[in-house]
Amino acid sequence: FRADLGGEPCFANRLRRVFESFRHRARSLQFSAKALLGNFSALVVVGFSRPGVLAFALFFAIVLVQRWLVRNREEFLLPEAAKLVALGVWSLLLGLAWPWIAGLATGRSDAYLATELAWRAGYVADDQFTPFSGFIVAFQNFFGGFVGVLIFVILVGNLGYLFFAKSVRAIGVLAVFSGSYLLYLFATFYPQSSSWRLLLPVFGLAAALASKASPRWRWAILVVFVLSQVFWVATCWMYAEPDFTPP
């Protein structure tokens, strides 16, 4: 038996298609394995070089739930779900790695947490870690009790509203990560001189907002931020004894 077109036997033609399909799938799996290994390696670098890898765990969890909710409209295969779960668990383990290493090296199970809390020891009376308390206490110290809490609530409300902006929703998963990272900061961080540096990972929000601003406003914002850098560095560079913060 021969095919109608091309003059090849039907069996040989089908067999060739089967082999091509297997080869395509093998290449796809090989690429996916390399990409997954690259993702795992990148998370290791993030986890041991800067804070915030726990935000990735929340990010992968949110994306997993989001993809599951729209599975009837967008294809959501098991390998993709397994990849998101694996990356989320890996991020969580990396986020707990430093506390475990610090405890193993010092013999104190709370060594890492105690070191982190030392940075806020001069500002707060409580030496216990309470999630989401850092920003509230800091704003109370900066602006006064009730006013500080009010400013914090306004800030959180505006950030929440920001994620409904069309330009922010347009950046997709980058917006999801920005939200996950901000939630991580609110849960763990006490605002201090490192705040601006730690906000760099949410650059996507700034880019989304800048896309809607006029060129004049973009230049104005750029100038203000450059001058603010000079002011901030000059302020932090001045040392006034006594200084209760860790070196």
Side-chain angles (χ1 to χ4, degrees), residues 36-233:
L36 186 61
L37 181 60
N39 291 335
F40 272 75
S41 302
L43 287 171
V44 171
V45 174
V46 173
F48 287 98
S49 62
R50 61 176 297 109
V53 71
L54 286 176
F56 280 93
L58 178 60
F59 164 70
F60 290 123
I62 293 176
V63 173
L64 177 66
V65 173
Q66 185 182 45
R67 295 286 290 115
W68 173 261
L69 292 176
V70 298
R71 67 188 184 280
N72 293 328
R73 300 195 307 269
E74 300 177 10
E75 190 177 49
F76 185 47
L77 300 178
L78 183 60
E80 183 183 353
K83 179 181 178 180
L84 290 171
V85 171
L87 289 171
V89 172
W90 183 239
S91 302
L92 181 62
L93 292 175
L94 289 172
L96 300 176
W98 271 128
W100 182 80
I101 293 172
L104 187 65
T106 62
R108 285 187 54 177
S109 59
D110 65 336
Y112 181 85
L113 194 58
T115 303
E116 290 295 321
L117 290 177
W119 288 98
R120 65 178 77 174
Y123 301 96
V124 297
D126 189 8
D127 60 351
Q128 300 297 319
F129 173 69
T130 304
F132 297 99
S133 66
F135 270 80
I136 297 177
V137 174
F139 275 61
Q140 287 177 323
N141 289 336
F142 297 155
F143 307 105
F146 175 76
V147 175
V149 174
L150 181 62
I151 293 176
F152 174 73
V153 171
I154 294 174
L155 172 65
V156 173
N158 277 276
L159 281 175
Y161 178 77
L162 176 65
F163 283 93
F164 290 96
K166 185 177 180 180
S167 58
V168 174
R169 288 188 284 112
I171 62 178
V173 293
L174 193 56
V176 177
F177 173 75
S178 297
S180 302
Y181 186 76
L182 287 175
L183 188 60
Y184 162 80
L185 288 184
F186 282 134
T188 63
F189 188 59
Y190 182 93
Q192 50 181 289
S193 59
S194 298
S195 300
W196 310 115
R197 172 177 60 86
L198 290 176
L199 285 174
L200 287 176
V202 297
F203 68 93
L205 295 180
L209 295 176
S211 65
K212 294 298 182 180
S214 65
R216 182 176 299 178
W217 269 107
R218 294 178 192 175
W219 279 107
I221 294 172
L222 178 62
V223 170
V224 168
F225 271 83
V226 170
L227 294 178
S228 299
Q229 283 277 29
V230 176
F231 170 77
W232 189 254
V233 171

